[in-house]
């Protein structure tokens, strides 16, 4: 990670004010209060793994509040924040929901008024697209400001993976970084889904089970063995019961899996970072057993072959040279 700001480089009388200004500009507008401003110490390191901005924050005791007006000002209601607690304790309150976290725990916050109380601590903060998370888990109001315990196996795995990813991130190629970041998001989704499955009202159990199943699908799309029986076994239930739950929501399990695989394939075909991948490699990476099977399903979905789809998107992306030329001409 790259150092971004440290109060060690600032006079103690102005350190907290500078920290407050930096947080509001870099992360999100908020009202910050320290027990003793002149004794406050803080450090921020930043990086991006693929398209996911990640911040490492370490600071002394602090209270933070984001009001509705501040959230509107930030214009970031399309984001959610996953916070992995590395050291110290913290509490987060949104509405009538409060999460108390210890080292190893995880919490997700959405764009709502929030009050945070933190002891001297450090954490990793991931800035994530809300749509990506809600596509699998449903509205973020269902899981924001809930303590996701580090005792859960999925949370332990997410912590270990993301800390290691941050450590080696600068050694990854852009394509590998994007893929690794996507896996990290899937692990966070799996942790949230496992937490949601605990102590839910029986009337909500079907919704939570389907959300857990979708989270599992997202994390295993590249596995060609992923099919309805495999998914049911992973959920610890009969295939018939899982099919009933999907049918109640107007879906078929197999259709959902293939739709997600085709959506992933479409994104990779249109992504310049994946241009070096052959159609066959891309198909296998999205869980298709053969290139012919992939080509047939893709054409049924998009009305053109994978190769034609890739070429069409290349034509819609201006080259760096032509973009530079336009900028140079406009500057003249």
């Amino acid at each position: 990670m790259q150092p971004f700001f440290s109060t060690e480089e600032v006079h103690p009388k102005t350190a907290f004010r500078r920290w407050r200004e930096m947080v509001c500009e870099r992360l999100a507008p908020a009202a910050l209060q320290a027990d003793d401003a002149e004794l406050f110490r803080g450090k921020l390191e930043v990086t991006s793994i693929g398209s996911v901005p990640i911040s490492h924050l370490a600071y002394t005791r602090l209270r933070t509040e984001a009001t509705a007006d501040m959230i509107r000002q930030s214009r970031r209601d399309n984001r959610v924040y996953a916070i992995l607690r590395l050291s110290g304790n913290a509490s987060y309150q949104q509405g009538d929901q409060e999460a108390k976290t210890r080292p190893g725990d995880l919490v997700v916050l959405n764009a709502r008024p929030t009050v945070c109380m933190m002891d001297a601590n450090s954490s990793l903060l991931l800035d994530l697209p809300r749509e990506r998370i809600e596509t699998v888990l449903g509205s973020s109001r269902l899981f924001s400001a809930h303590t996701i315990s580090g005792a859960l196996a999925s949370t332990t795995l997410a912590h270990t993976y993301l800390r290691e990813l941050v450590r080696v991130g600068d050694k990854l190629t852009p394509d590998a970084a994007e893929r690794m970041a996507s896996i990290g998001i899937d692990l966070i989704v799996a942790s949230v889904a496992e937490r949601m499955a605990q102590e839910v009202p029986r009337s909500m159990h079907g919704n939570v089970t389907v959300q857990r199943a979708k989270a599992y699908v997202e994390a295993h799309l590249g596995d060609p063995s992923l099919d309805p029986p495999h998914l049911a076994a992973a959920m610890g239930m009969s295939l018939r019961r899982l099919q009933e739950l999907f049918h109640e929501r107007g879906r078929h399990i197999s259709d959902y899996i293939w739709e997600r695989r085709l959506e992933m394939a479409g994104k990779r075909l249109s992504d310049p970072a994946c241009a070096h991948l052959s159609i066959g490699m891309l198909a296998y990476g999205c869980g298709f057993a053969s290139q012919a099977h992939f080509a047939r399903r893709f054409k049924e979905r998009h009305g053109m072959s994978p190769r034609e789809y890739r070429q069409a998107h290349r034509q819609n992306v201006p080259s760096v040279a032509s973009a530079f030329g336009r900028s140079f001409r406009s500057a003249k």
Side-chain angles (χ1 to χ4, degrees):
M1 300 191 83
Q2 298 297 316
F4 186 81
F5 181 86
S6 173
T7 57
E8 293 181 1
E9 304 166 0
V10 184
H11 193 282
K13 288 186 177 298
T14 60
F16 182 65
R17 176 176 59 81
R18 293 281 303 277
W19 175 268
R20 184 173 57 219
E21 293 170 350
M22 179 276 300
V23 167
C24 292
E25 180 179 349
R26 172 77 188 185
L27 301 177
L32 280 64
Q33 295 178 0
D35 289 346
D36 189 327
E38 292 193 17
L39 296 179
F40 177 82
R41 296 292 181 270
K43 180 176 68 174
L44 171 65
E45 298 173 307
V46 299
T47 189
S48 287
I49 309 295
S51 57
V52 178
I54 303 177
S55 302
H56 174 227
L57 299 104
Y59 45 85
T60 52
R61 186 175 175 83
L62 188 66
R63 180 186 188 276
T64 304
E65 181 175 3
T67 66
D69 286 342
M70 291 173 178
I71 293 168
R72 281 192 293 270
Q73 176 187 343
S74 71
R75 297 181 179 178
R76 294 180 63 79
D77 58 353
N78 63 337
R79 315 297 295 179
V80 297
Y81 299 93
I83 303 170
L84 290 85
R85 177 70 40 213
L86 303 180
S87 66
N89 298 330
S91 66
Y92 306 87
Q93 186 164 359
Q94 291 190 316
D96 59 358
Q97 183 61 45
E98 182 179 18
K100 295 184 177 181
T101 62
R102 299 179 298 177
D105 292 346
L106 167 68
V107 65
V108 176
L109 303 177
N110 64 359
R112 285 189 293 158
T114 307
V115 175
C116 307
M117 297 290 296
M118 289 155 284
D119 296 333
N121 75 97
S122 67
S123 60
L124 287 180
L125 184 149
L126 286 77
D127 182 342
L128 305 174
R130 190 184 72 185
E131 182 180 3
R132 167 74 185 275
I133 307 299
E134 291 188 339
T135 296
V136 180
L137 296 172
S139 171
S140 56
R141 285 180 174 269
L142 295 172
F143 54 82
S144 65
H146 286 261
T147 303
I148 304 171
S149 172
L152 296 177
S154 56
T155 309
T156 299
L157 183 58
H159 256 271
T160 303
Y161 178 86
L162 289 166
R163 292 181 70 172
E164 190 67 11
L165 180 60
V166 166
R167 189 181 71 82
V168 304
D170 59 349
K171 301 176 184 178
L172 298 172
T173 64
D175 179 47
E178 193 65 48
R179 290 174 180 271
M180 297 301 103
S182 181
I183 292 172
I185 295 175
D186 290 340
L187 289 172
I188 291 172
V189 168
S191 298
V192 175
E194 186 173 358
R195 168 62 178 83
M196 290 173 68
Q198 297 178 334
E199 300 176 4
V200 296
R202 190 166 187 83
S203 60
M204 290 181 58
H205 193 268
N207 288 335
V208 173
T209 300
V210 170
Q211 288 163 357
R212 287 182 60 218
K214 289 182 176 180
Y216 187 90
V217 169
E218 292 298 315
H220 296 82
L221 280 174
D223 182 355
S225 69
L226 177 63
D227 59 11
H230 180 135
L231 182 59
M235 294 300 99
M237 62 195 314
S238 71
L239 174 58
R240 179 177 178 179
R241 178 55 184 154
L242 188 60
Q243 286 175 329
E244 288 175 350
L245 292 175
F246 270 78
H247 290 167
E248 288 170 3
R249 290 152 184 83
R251 306 299 297 269
H252 293 277
I253 301 175
S254 58
D255 289 347
Y256 179 79
I257 293 173
W258 289 118
E259 284 174 12
R260 294 300 302 134
R261 282 174 168 158
L262 289 168
E263 287 179 17
M264 175 191 283
K267 288 180 180 179
R268 291 184 179 178
L269 285 169
S270 60
D271 185 352
C274 298
H276 65 286
L277 295 176
S278 68
I279 301 295
M281 288 181 63
L282 192 146
Y284 299 137
C286 292
F288 290 87
S290 72
Q291 185 172 340
H293 180 216
F294 169 58
R296 177 174 60 80
R297 279 193 173 268
F298 192 90
K299 191 166 186 177
E300 289 174 354
R301 171 70 180 271
H302 294 282
M304 62 179 73
S305 70
R307 194 174 306 278
E308 291 168 341
Y309 187 90
R310 172 178 270 177
Q311 290 173 347
H313 280 77
R314 282 180 179 174
Q315 292 169 359
N316 291 333
V317 178
S319 68
V320 173
S322 62
F324 177 82
R326 288 195 299 273
S327 297
F328 179 77
R329 287 193 295 273
S330 62
K332 292 175 65 178

